[in-house]
Amino acid sequence: MPIFDAARSPRLEAVRHETVRQAALNIGEVLSELKDEFPRVTASKIRFLEDKGLIIPQRTSAGYRKYTASDVSRLRFILSVQRDQYLPLKVIKDHLDAVDRGEAPEALPGGAPAAPQLVNSDMAEAVENKARLVSLAELQGLSGASEELVDELLKFGLIEAQAGLFDANCIKVTKSAVQLANHGVEPRHLRQFRTAADREFSLIESIIGNDLKKPEVSARARAAEEAQEISRQCLEIHEALVQRAISQLDR
């Protein structure tokens, strides 16, 4: 049985209403539940996800939204794969719709779990590792990097510390830098990637600029979603061009 039932049969609806009555959260309480893992999430972002049909909270007779533990779990799943795998909402929604229909879709790209669930210890640990900032020692332990390599990555702007701590993107860059070092690639050789990333972001910013100028938080949420989709397409083009060049090597 899928965790989230899109059809909402009378029996399941009755069970859901009972759950809401016993343990429903308002949107402010949901934000409190999520703030440690997703510090940038806002009420407008959650409402935006609702507008897109990714989550359907219950409503009180007065029209207020109420969220169950399963709703919060679903939000965690959506926010996690959107942040960590940079997946567009349409891909996430299609996946969740399949789960809601009782199907067993393939796992999403990037190793994301196949479906949201009430958080168990393993999932909680995975989310924490992606969301929590790490120290220099932890960064070295997770990546296998020497302190000298980390210093070089900092020097060339490939990673940035926040009050002496490093985020998930820094971990990814450092892990890749360690692997590339095995091929003789040094951080100074990677400066072009930082330059290319800055240029790509400038392009994205020019496209979404109008929404960024609007005062509504929902407009910024739409801009962020559009930026992720543009970035994903840019990466697709980049990978295709590199793979095309590599394919010429054995001809």
Side-chain angles (χ1 to χ4, degrees):
M1 179 182 293
I3 295 173
F4 304 102
D5 182 74
R8 298 191 184 281
S9 67
R11 172 190 274 181
L12 291 177
E13 193 71 4
V15 171
R16 186 177 177 87
H17 278 300
E18 178 63 13
T19 304
V20 168
R21 187 187 68 78
Q22 293 178 356
L25 303 175
N26 61 39
I27 198 165
E29 291 168 330
V30 170
L31 289 173
S32 295
E33 288 280 322
L34 298 174
K35 67 179 181 180
D36 289 340
E37 300 158 33
F38 309 97
R40 295 186 179 180
V41 70
T42 62
S44 294
K45 171 68 173 181
I46 294 176
R47 294 188 186 107
F48 176 70
L49 294 175
E50 181 182 345
D51 290 341
K52 293 295 185 181
L54 279 91
I55 185 167
I56 307 175
Q58 288 291 309
R59 296 274 188 158
T60 67
S61 57
Y64 294 106
R65 296 171 175 83
K66 287 295 182 179
Y67 302 82
T68 66
S70 292
D71 291 329
V72 176
S73 175
R74 187 173 180 120
L75 279 169
R76 277 196 177 96
F77 177 85
I78 295 166
L79 295 170
S80 291
V81 295
Q82 188 181 28
R83 177 196 64 197
D84 300 328
Q85 273 71 50
Y86 304 100
L87 297 178
L89 288 181
K90 184 180 185 304
V91 172
I92 301 173
K93 184 177 186 302
D94 289 346
H95 184 86
L96 288 174
D97 286 346
V99 173
D100 289 342
R101 292 191 298 268
E103 300 172 6
E106 294 182 2
L108 288 165
Q117 55 186 318
L118 293 178
V119 180
N120 57 31
S121 57
D122 292 337
M123 185 175 178
E125 182 179 358
V127 171
E128 179 182 353
N129 286 340
K130 291 173 181 175
R132 181 173 63 84
L133 299 179
V134 301
S135 66
L136 172 60
E138 289 173 317
L139 175 65
Q140 291 179 250
L142 288 167
S143 65
S146 65
E147 188 170 347
E148 180 182 4
L149 177 60
V150 174
D151 285 342
E152 289 289 292
L153 293 174
L154 287 166
K155 174 183 175 181
F156 292 113
L158 293 161
I159 61 174
E160 296 178 351
Q162 305 174 38
L165 300 174
F166 301 88
D167 64 14
N169 292 314
C170 292
I171 296 172
K172 290 179 181 179
V173 170
T174 306
K175 284 182 176 179
S176 293
V178 168
Q179 295 301 316
L180 288 170
N182 295 329
H183 299 280
V185 180
E186 301 175 13
R188 62 189 176 88
H189 299 137
L190 303 176
R191 286 179 294 180
Q192 58 184 303
F193 291 102
R194 174 59 191 266
T195 301
D198 289 342
R199 288 175 178 169
E200 181 181 323
F201 180 73
S202 294
L203 171 64
I204 293 172
E205 197 172 30
S206 68
I207 296 171
I208 64 174
N210 288 334
D211 274 339
L212 288 177
K213 294 175 184 177
K214 296 177 181 178
E216 299 88 353
V217 177
S218 59
R220 297 188 68 85
R222 286 194 301 271
E225 168 62 17
E226 185 179 4
Q228 287 188 344
E229 173 61 17
I230 296 170
S231 175
R232 190 177 73 86
Q233 297 303 330
C234 289
L235 290 173
E236 290 279 354
I237 293 173
H238 173 81
E239 181 180 7
L241 292 174
V242 173
Q243 290 300 322
R244 184 178 69 181
I246 291 174
S247 69
Q248 305 297 319
L249 295 178
D250 60 353
R251 290 187 179 181

